[in-house]
Amino acid sequence: MLRIVCVAGARPNYMKIKPVMDALERRGAEVVLVHTGQHYDESMNDVFFRDLGIRPPDRFLGVGSGTHAQQTGRVMTAFEPLLEELTPDVVVVVGDINSTLACALVTAKAGPLLAHVESGLRSRDWSMPEEVNRVATDRVSDYLLASSPDAADNLRAEGYREDQIHLVGNVMIDTLFANLERARATDVLDRHGLTPGGYGLVTLHRPANVDDPEVLAGLLKALGEIAGGCPLLLPVHPRAAARLAELGVPGGIRLVPPAGYLDFIALQDSARIVLTDSGGVQEETTALGVPCVTLRDNTERPITVEQGTNVLAGRDPARIVSTVTRVLADPPPARRPELWDGRASERIAEVLLTGGPSGQRARPTDTAS
Ligand code: UD1
Ligand code: UDP
């Protein structure tokens, strides 16, 4: 029986790791869930364990917040002795947060095979901390588990071997489909006095959007204009909370605490439009067929623009308003990407437990660039 350590640390990790853990356990693997503690608020953490039915972590590293180096270093320092004690066969990391990179680096030097779920996504924007985390994590991974063909193509272009690259589909959509009916049964719209199709949903948390008050003020100006025709609900990420409170928001925008998973899925599902800088939300709106305007200049998830409902608007207020006006008048057609079918985690389990269709377990080699 293989022993597999699954790592999670922050909000966008929980919905990715849950279906992978379940698929591995269904096939008889021993799974150890390690939580780094990067996110810790009830509304950023505990609610997801409850909503998604994730068991309490087997190990908790409790690293909390800090600078990039502090956070990454604390995870590495705590994870290293744990790996030595647990001696797993494989470590699974998901996404692109600091905890992902920290556990990847430790694993690469400790011996177990390393699997990266959501491998190959590239924004090509090196000012994003996540881009550094993605590229560096992939470089030390044995199994590169890609959610879309463009991600697999990025990996090929960077020189990774074919037997390392596995196009498995999108685990986030596994969790979305598994929970959509439960989400639709919540009373979240009533609680906020909203009607289906009668509001827009907003999330903002990228450092490039929320850390600089001038940039954030520009975004709020645009949102204020949009809210004149379509009231907006904005569940506030803790990173943005203080700055939003300082600046104040225009009328028509309602600030609420971060939403739990089921509530947030229901809010997306019934929204007329979603405005966001989140990675995961671009994917969920595409799977739900809800129009999405992304408040960034680039995306590491181009398939949501090419095949889904996502439109990039950048950060210029006038362009955001004109893009939203256009999208509301003429919403992009919805097409769900192939392999975003609710079965990605099954494919991952197949790869990790049998070595994949080729039956091989791959090690990174110097052939990768
Ligand atoms: C992190 C990830 C980002 C991801 C986002 C998802 C990195 C580099 N960034 O960004 O990729 O999109 O999570 O939400 O890993 N805070 C709280 N309570 C919490 C957690 C954070 O108040 O439970 C506050 C703290 O002031 C902290 C700040 O938010 O300093 C930022 O948290 P951090 O985990 O460093 O980065 P995020 O911006 O959340
Ligand atoms: N999400 C949530 N409540 C919120 C905002 C987001 O449950 O108030 C969910 C969302 O549905 C998606 C995930 O959190 O599943 C995305 O996480 P986030 O936007 O924090 O990170 P990113 O995807 O940008 O890394």
Side-chain angles (χ1 to χ4, degrees):
M1 180 166 72
L2 288 190
R3 177 180 292 169
I4 302 186
V5 163
C6 288
V7 175
R11 179 165 77 183
N13 286 174
Y14 309 132
M15 58 294 291
K16 296 173 192 170
I17 207 67
K18 164 69 172 162
V20 177
M21 290 172 61
D22 287 352
L24 290 170
E25 285 180 340
R26 271 198 301 276
R27 287 166 174 250
E30 180 195 352
V31 171
V32 182
L33 174 60
V34 175
H35 189 320
T36 66
Q38 178 170 342
H39 282 179
Y40 41 83
D41 285 352
E42 142 75 35
S43 60
M44 296 297 287
N45 182 68
D46 306 40
V47 65
F48 294 91
F49 281 74
R50 278 200 305 279
D51 277 6
L52 296 171
I54 310 175
R55 65 165 183 262
D58 300 303
R59 299 302 181 96
F60 185 67
L61 308 183
V63 301
S65 303
T67 66
H68 287 286
Q70 286 166 346
Q71 198 170 54
T72 310
R74 283 207 289 267
V75 176
M76 290 181 74
T77 307
F79 193 60
E80 188 175 53
L82 198 62
L83 271 198
E84 205 168 309
E85 177 200 328
L86 295 171
T87 60
D89 301 286
V90 182
V91 172
V92 178
V93 295
V94 298
D96 54 18
I97 65 168
N98 285 343
S99 301
T100 311
L101 174 62
C103 293
L105 288 174
V106 171
T107 305
K109 292 182 182 173
L113 293 167
L114 176 64
H116 184 204
V117 174
E118 230 177 52
S119 174
L121 297 183
R122 300 286 184 263
S123 67
R124 299 180 175 80
D125 174 357
W126 287 95
S127 71
M128 287 182 85
E130 293 82 4
E131 185 72 356
V132 179
N133 293 344
R134 290 179 197 117
V135 171
T137 300
D138 283 338
R139 187 60 187 84
V140 293
S141 291
D142 301 285
Y143 297 102
L144 303 165
L145 303 161
S147 50
S148 52
D150 55 278
D153 287 345
N154 288 335
L155 293 166
R156 285 186 195 104
E158 289 174 23
Y160 291 98
R161 292 194 319 265
E162 247 350 281
D163 64 338
Q164 286 182 277
I165 303 169
H166 305 273
L167 178 55
V168 291
N170 192 329
V171 290
M172 207 160 196
I173 307 307
D174 291 11
T175 299
L176 174 67
F177 288 167
N179 290 284
L180 190 51
E181 286 317 312
R182 288 174 65 223
R184 286 176 174 156
T186 67
D187 61 354
V188 63
L189 267 65
D190 289 343
R191 271 186 272 131
H192 291 299
L194 300 169
T195 52
Y199 65 95
L201 180 67
V202 184
T203 78
L204 288 173
H205 74 273
R206 291 283 153 224
N209 281 343
V210 304
D211 286 2
D212 178 343
E214 257 180 59
V215 174
L216 185 57
L219 294 176
L220 290 173
K221 180 172 170 287
L223 293 177
E225 279 183 49
I226 294 159
C230 176
L232 299 177
L233 187 76
L234 198 173
V236 177
H237 189 286
R239 181 176 199 106
R243 220 147 275 129
L244 283 170
E246 268 160 43
L247 291 168
V249 294
I253 304 175
R254 185 133 50 96
L255 302 184
V256 293
Y261 183 76
L262 295 174
D263 283 357
F264 195 77
I265 294 298
L267 287 167
Q268 287 186 79
D269 187 44
S270 288
R272 186 170 171 211
I273 190 166
V274 175
L275 294 101
T276 193
D277 58 12
S278 158
V281 172
Q282 295 173 60
E283 296 182 340
E284 289 168 342
T285 46
T286 272
L288 291 168
V290 173
C292 177
V293 170
T294 293
L295 308 177
R296 289 174 43 189
D297 295 317
N298 50 60
T299 178
E300 60 289 332
R301 292 159 162 94
I303 196 167
T304 60
V305 176
E306 284 149 21
Q307 297 192 13
T309 52
N310 191 17
V311 179
L312 286 188
R315 297 182 294 151
D316 171 63
R319 186 169 157 219
I320 292 170
V321 174
S322 65
T323 306
V324 168
T325 307
R326 179 163 51 84
V327 167
L328 286 174
D330 184 18
R335 179 150 74 94
R336 184 161 45 80
E338 213 187 330
L339 301 185
W340 292 24
D341 59 356
R343 300 187 47 79
S345 46
E346 284 298 327
R347 293 183 202 103
I348 288 174
E350 168 80 17
V351 169
L352 298 188
L353 298 180
T354 70
S358 64
Q360 291 167 14
R361 292 227 168 79
R363 281 261 171 217
T365 71
D366 289 337
T367 56
S369 61

